[in-house]
Amino acid sequence: MDISSYVLLSQEQALKRRLDIVANNMANVSTVGFKREQPVFHEYVEKADKALVDDAKDTSFVLDYRAIHDMAPGAFQPTGNPLDVMIEGPGYLGVELPDGAGTAYTRAGFVKVLESGDLATAGGQRLLDEAGQPINVPPEQAGRISIAGDGTVMGTDGPLGRLAVTVFDDETNLAPRGDGLYAGAQGRVLPAEETKLRSGGVEGSNVQPILETTSMIEILRSYQNSVRMSESLNDMRKRALDRLGRVS
C-alpha cells in the first residue's frame, strides 16, 4: 500500500468518526439536557527526507483529536412538576454516584423526593448542595417545597438547602457516563447571585435533526468521493504495471 492509500484511509476513518457522532446526536434528539457533540480533527504532517519532488516531502493525514459539546441551550419544556428545573446558562447539577463513588454532573433537571426525604434526579441519584451533601426534606414538608431561581430549596419553615450548580472552565474535560451524566474535575460551584434556575420544566436536547441529517448526507458524499479516488488510484496502478510488463 502506497502513501496515497494511507492518506485516504485516514480520511475515511475520520468520516466514520463523524458519522458515529452524528448518529449519537440523532439518537439523543429527545434526551433531556443532552448537548450535541462535534468532532475535532487536527492535521498531522509527516515529513520525508527524500521524495521525487520537494512538494511531495510533506504528507498530510487526518488526526482524530477529540469531541466537544455544543453548549447552546435547549428549549424549555414544561413538565407540570414545580420541582423540575432548567439551568439558564452554563453549569451542571451535582449528583451523588451510587455507593459514594464520587460526584457526577447533569443538566437533566427532573427532581423528585425519595422515600428517605432526599432530593434526587429521575434516575434516583441524590442531588447535592454547595457543600456536596444531599438535601433532605422533612416528611411533613414533602409536598410543599419549592425551588427558587438561585437554587434555594424552600420549605414551609424556611430554606432547606441550595442546589449546587457547578461550572467548568474547560468543558472538553467532561466525559459522558451514560444516563445523561458526566464525569468531570476542577469545577466550581456558582454563588447564589450567579445561579439561574427556571422551575416547572426541564431543558430539551439542543440537537437539530435537520442539521444532523444534512451532516449525514455530506459525510456520505465525502465517503463516496474517497472511494472513487481510491478506485482511480487502483486503476492507475494496474495500468502502470501493465505497461511495465509490456516493456519487460
Side-chain angles (χ1 to χ4, degrees):
M1 185 181 291
D2 61 23
I3 194 65
S4 57
S5 297
Y6 284 113
V7 172
L8 286 174
L9 182 60
S10 75
Q11 181 198 24
E12 290 169 6
Q13 288 286 83
L15 291 172
K16 180 181 181 299
R17 171 68 166 155
R18 285 184 60 194
L19 184 61
D20 289 342
I21 290 177
V22 170
N24 184 62
N25 289 340
M26 289 291 285
N28 287 279
V29 69
S30 300
T31 301
V32 169
F34 181 81
K35 299 298 183 185
R36 68 182 293 268
E37 289 186 310
Q38 302 177 84
V40 177
F41 299 103
H42 282 186
E43 181 185 26
Y44 174 76
V45 179
E46 184 177 273
K47 296 183 178 294
D49 295 331
K50 297 180 180 179
L52 294 176
V53 293
D54 289 340
D55 290 343
K57 288 184 178 180
D58 294 346
T59 305
S60 178
F61 294 91
V62 182
L63 180 64
D64 183 2
Y65 184 61
R66 66 169 64 173
I68 61 174
H69 293 94
D70 178 1
M71 298 312 298
F76 180 75
Q77 296 180 350
T79 61
N81 178 9
L83 296 183
D84 289 342
V85 292
M86 170 182 170
I87 301 173
E88 294 187 318
Y92 298 81
L93 297 173
V95 301
E96 183 182 64
L97 290 173
D99 301 324
T103 302
Y105 302 92
T106 183
R107 285 185 68 94
F110 291 116
V111 179
K112 66 180 181 180
V113 180
L114 299 176
E115 292 183 1
S116 62
D118 295 328
L119 289 184
T121 65
Q125 296 90 6
R126 295 194 297 179
L127 289 159
L128 303 177
D129 63 10
E130 301 164 285
Q133 300 298 317
I135 300 174
N136 190 266
V137 179
E140 66 275 7
Q141 300 183 41
R144 296 180 290 172
I145 63 173
S146 61
I147 299 177
D150 64 356
T152 300
V153 181
M154 298 296 298
T156 55
D157 298 329
L160 300 172
R162 193 174 78 85
L163 292 174
V165 176
T166 303
V167 295
F168 298 86
D169 293 332
D170 187 0
E171 295 277 352
T172 60
N173 289 332
L174 290 173
R177 291 181 53 95
D179 295 330
L181 299 178
Y182 296 89
Q186 299 180 342
R188 63 180 180 89
V189 177
L190 290 177
E193 59 271 17
E194 295 182 22
T195 301
K196 295 181 180 179
L197 297 181
R198 183 176 177 182
S199 300
V202 293
E203 178 186 22
S205 169
N206 68 351
V207 175
Q208 299 183 47
I210 293 178
L211 292 180
E212 302 301 327
T213 302
T214 302
S215 294
M216 281 189 171
I217 295 173
E218 291 176 351
I219 293 169
L220 175 61
R221 289 175 176 171
S222 296
Y223 183 77
Q224 290 172 337
N225 288 335
S226 180
V227 170
R228 282 195 291 267
M229 187 175 296
S230 179
E231 291 173 347
S232 297
L233 288 171
N234 286 334
D235 290 341
M236 183 178 65
R237 294 188 194 100
K238 290 178 181 178
R239 289 197 298 270
L241 290 173
D242 182 61
R243 289 177 182 176
L244 286 173
R246 292 178 183 176
V247 170
S248 298

